Amino acid sequence: MNRGRLLATGTGAALIAVGVGAVVDPKASAAMFGVPVDGDALVFVRAAGARDAILGAIVVTSGDEGGTLRRVLGLTSLIGLSDGIALAALRGPRWQHALHLGGFAALGLLALRLDE
């Protein structure tokens, strides 16, 4: 397994862990995301967690043929960007914004640098 594929697999595993964490404990995950919520709104946190876990599984199982992994990582990076933009509308702590935009940058760079 080459270094790029190893990094992609680790990234996918991290997405799965974050997603499962949101499904299991949505209140804690919402606070880490930067938008603490209660009650019925937790269903959206669980849904986002399921999305992240599924995307992580897609990253882990994407083959290297025809640039598939590169495209999957590039498209997945856009989630970090969209989450960061959504959080920018809030006046909360900046570290959450940086966390999401950092994810966007890291996945995007990995996609660009991935050996085929």
Side-chain angles (χ1 to χ4, degrees):
M1 182 180 296
N2 68 32
R3 187 174 34 163
R5 182 67 186 138
L6 186 63
L7 285 170
T9 300
T11 299
L15 280 169
I16 292 169
V18 167
V20 169
V23 170
V24 171
D25 190 357
K27 195 175 229 182
S29 292
M32 280 185 10
F33 184 87
V35 185
V37 295
D38 283 316
D40 290 342
L42 291 174
V43 71
F44 293 107
V45 178
R46 282 193 170 102
R51 171 200 72 180
D52 289 346
I54 292 165
L55 283 169
I58 290 169
V59 169
V60 168
T61 61
S62 291
D64 295 329
E65 300 300 317
T68 301
L69 180 59
R70 179 175 287 196
R71 286 189 297 276
V72 166
L73 287 170
L75 291 169
T76 302
S77 76
L78 297 176
I79 293 169
L81 177 63
S82 65
D83 288 351
I85 290 170
L87 278 173
L90 302 176
R91 303 261 192 276
R94 295 286 183 210
W95 71 269
Q96 284 109 345
H97 303 160
L99 183 67
H100 294 285
L101 296 176
F104 162 67
L107 282 171
L109 286 173
L110 181 56
L112 290 173
R113 301 287 318 232
L114 194 63
D115 293 332
E116 301 225 41

